[in-house]
């Protein structure tokens, strides 16, 4: 029920395009990228009439023209797919796409700090890692730890960060109860 009319969105690590198409369906002027050329080709093939601008790009070395431009940046399960030795760079780069007054939404599998022996991929994020999306320019607005009732050891982080100049624009209701 939210409208993205007049707003720009970016989906990082877009894979086959479902999240990007969802945002475009809400009216966002949407761009999406993935490091995998075959994923981008598949997304374009799945959505031949799409308004989404798909491209191949590397989150670890992002194109300068994408930085600081978006009202909404969405990262769903991308950072967790990357090895820990590059994760700090990836997290910092995701935040660099957010424009003035923009919002970043990050969704990933989580793990408790004491469970740091998970072999991956994926490599779930700890609370410290998900909170590290916050910077001097991005403040954490919401962090939800969604536990699976059948497997409380497995959970997801849903995090929202706002550019410090945030006055209006895309905001998401806290449905965490």
């Amino acid at each position: 029920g939210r409208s993205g009319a007049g707003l720009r969105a970016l989906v990082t690590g877009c894979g086959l395009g479902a999240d990007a198409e969802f945002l475009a369906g809400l009216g966002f002027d949407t761009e999406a990228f993935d490091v995998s050329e075959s994923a981008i080709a598949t997304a374009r093939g799945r959505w031949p009439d799409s308004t989404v601008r798909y491209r191949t790009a590397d989150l670890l070395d992002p194109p300068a023209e994408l930085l600081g431009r978006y009202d909404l940046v969405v990262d769903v399960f991308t950072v967790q797919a990357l090895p820990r030795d590059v994760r700090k760079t990836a997290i910092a780069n995701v935040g660099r796409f957010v424009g003035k007054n923009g919002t970043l939404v990050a969704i990933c599998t989580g793990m408790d700090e004491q469970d740091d022996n998970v072999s991956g991929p994926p490599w779930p994020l700890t609370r410290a890692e998900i909170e590290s999306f916050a910077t001097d320019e991005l403040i954490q607005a919401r962090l939800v730890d969604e536990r699976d009732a059948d497997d409380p050891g497995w959970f997801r982080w849903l995090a929202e960060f706002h550019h410090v100049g945030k006055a209006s624009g895309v905001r998401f209701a806290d449905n965490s109860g």
Side-chain angles (χ1 to χ4, degrees):
R2 291 180 177 83
S3 173
L7 300 172
R8 299 175 75 168
L10 176 71
V11 178
T12 64
C14 67
L16 305 181
D19 296 321
E21 295 299 325
F22 176 77
L23 293 176
L26 293 175
F28 285 92
D29 176 13
T30 307
E31 295 185 60
F33 73 84
D34 200 286
V35 71
S36 168
E37 291 180 17
S38 62
I40 294 300
T42 301
R44 287 178 177 145
R46 285 181 73 193
W47 317 98
D49 299 323
S50 178
T51 61
V52 175
R53 290 177 309 286
Y54 290 102
R55 69 188 291 173
T56 303
D58 186 348
L59 179 58
L60 300 176
D61 185 20
E65 68 270 14
L66 299 183
L67 302 179
R69 296 184 54 198
Y70 300 93
D71 301 296
L72 176 63
V73 175
V74 176
D75 185 88
V76 180
F77 303 137
T78 302
V79 172
Q80 73 181 36
L82 300 171
R84 287 206 167 114
D85 62 334
V86 298
R87 192 171 283 176
K88 184 176 180 180
T89 299
I91 289 170
N93 285 344
V94 169
R96 293 173 63 205
F97 298 117
V98 181
K100 184 177 179 186
N101 298 326
T103 298
L104 164 62
V105 173
I107 300 171
C108 63
T109 304
M111 74 174 169
D112 294 315
E113 303 289 339
Q114 70 271 14
D115 298 332
D116 200 17
N117 61 350
V118 177
S119 62
W123 294 276
L125 275 66
T126 64
R127 175 177 285 275
E129 288 174 313
I130 194 72
E131 288 177 341
S132 73
F133 279 91
T135 65
D136 290 341
E137 294 184 0
L138 291 174
I139 58 169
Q140 182 178 305
R142 180 168 63 128
L143 179 60
V144 178
D145 167 343
E146 291 186 349
R147 299 279 169 161
D148 184 321
D150 296 326
D151 183 3
W154 186 93
F155 65 97
R156 275 192 193 141
W157 295 116
L158 170 58
E160 182 179 346
F161 303 86
H162 296 166
H163 190 276
V164 291
K166 189 78 181 164
S168 63
V170 182
R171 291 200 182 224
F172 296 88
D174 186 350
N175 298 322
S176 61

